[in-house]
Amino acid sequence: MTESDGRASAETVTADFWFDPVCPWAWLASRWLLEVERMRPVQARWHVMSLGVLNEGRDVSEGYARLLRDGWGPVRIAVAAEQRFGNEVLGPLYTALGTRIHQRKEPRSAETYRAALAEAGLPEELVEAADSAEYDQELRRSHHDGMRRVGYEVGTPVISVEGVSFFGPVVTPAPKGEAAARLWDGVRLVAGTDGFFELKRSRDREPVFEAG
């Protein structure tokens, strides 16, 4: 039996993942989760959250406030796409957005968002959602669905596996191959440990991205 045969015969586990498109740490964790899909019987299911919603009313630095303002556009576009075309479009759209925003360092602009929509096979007219509150109720619903699982003192990413949810993993660079699989095995291990809440240390490096 080959490794791929073993993965196919095992029961597939769904990993729900909440992201804000502008968060670099969520982006790295999402690339890890896609790698896990190659190595283990796992299916990612994507959901949006909003750092803008999370930080409403909080005193933040001007630089972070600018990021939060910019972040409303892509997350609104993501919600609009999901509402019109279904949850399955979120993964390809997130990849198209994140590759441009994080790896290629393209500006968080309408032109960037149009290109991402086109790459994901979605109508470029969805870019209009960036400046509209039309989908904000659904955005907040999705945001709170993720955050209520882990508490509002953390951010993104949020991952939920077999009924247990965590903030994280926060990791850089995104693990590949068997290293990605081992991290996944560890996530499942702690998820299955009753009463486990957190392991944490201070970050000592900036996000490391692959070339886009």
Side-chain angles (χ1 to χ4, degrees):
M1 181 176 68
T2 66
E3 180 184 12
S4 60
D5 290 336
R7 291 198 302 270
S9 63
E11 182 179 354
T12 299
V13 174
T14 298
D16 288 285
F17 187 97
W18 279 261
F19 67 92
D20 184 314
V22 301
C23 176
W25 297 105
W27 173 250
L28 288 166
S30 73
R31 299 311 92 182
W32 159 74
L33 186 55
L34 289 178
E35 185 74 0
V36 171
E37 283 189 322
R38 292 196 319 108
M39 303 296 296
R40 294 288 190 268
V42 174
Q43 177 66 54
R45 184 163 56 196
W46 308 99
H47 310 272
V48 295
M49 63 84 67
S50 169
L51 291 172
V53 173
L54 183 66
N55 287 280
E56 283 179 327
R58 297 182 181 180
D59 186 18
V60 299
S61 69
E62 179 53 37
Y64 193 55
R66 189 180 310 113
L67 175 70
L68 298 180
R69 289 193 296 270
D70 290 348
W72 282 98
V75 78
R76 281 170 163 168
I77 290 170
V79 172
E82 181 183 24
Q83 288 295 290
R84 288 184 55 181
F85 298 101
N87 178 261
E88 64 272 13
V89 306
L90 270 187
L93 178 57
Y94 183 26
T95 290
L97 285 167
T99 298
R100 286 166 172 78
I101 293 171
H102 300 295
Q103 294 178 200
R104 300 180 190 172
K105 306 301 182 185
E106 294 181 14
R108 296 186 286 270
S109 67
E111 181 179 0
T112 297
Y113 305 151
R114 286 193 190 95
L117 286 163
E119 181 181 327
L122 294 166
E124 293 183 31
E125 67 190 44
L126 284 171
V127 75
E128 298 171 5
D131 299 315
S132 170
E134 179 179 357
Y135 297 97
D136 282 6
Q137 182 176 352
E138 178 57 29
L139 166 58
R140 290 175 183 275
R141 186 208 63 76
S142 180
H143 170 86
H144 291 300
D145 182 34
M147 299 311 299
R148 67 176 175 77
R149 301 165 187 257
V150 292
Y152 288 82
E153 70 276 9
V154 298
T156 180
V158 169
I159 190 169
S160 185
V161 181
E162 299 174 316
V164 179
S165 305
F166 296 110
F167 165 63
V170 176
V171 60
T172 191
K176 298 294 185 183
E178 190 57 31
R182 288 196 302 270
L183 178 54
W184 168 256
D185 294 341
V187 169
R188 290 196 71 187
L189 176 64
V190 297
T193 302
D194 182 50
F196 179 89
F197 293 103
E198 65 179 295
L199 284 170
K200 189 172 182 178
R201 62 174 177 163
S202 298
R203 296 194 297 267
D204 61 2
R205 68 182 76 171
E206 294 299 312
V208 177
F209 305 108
E210 293 183 353

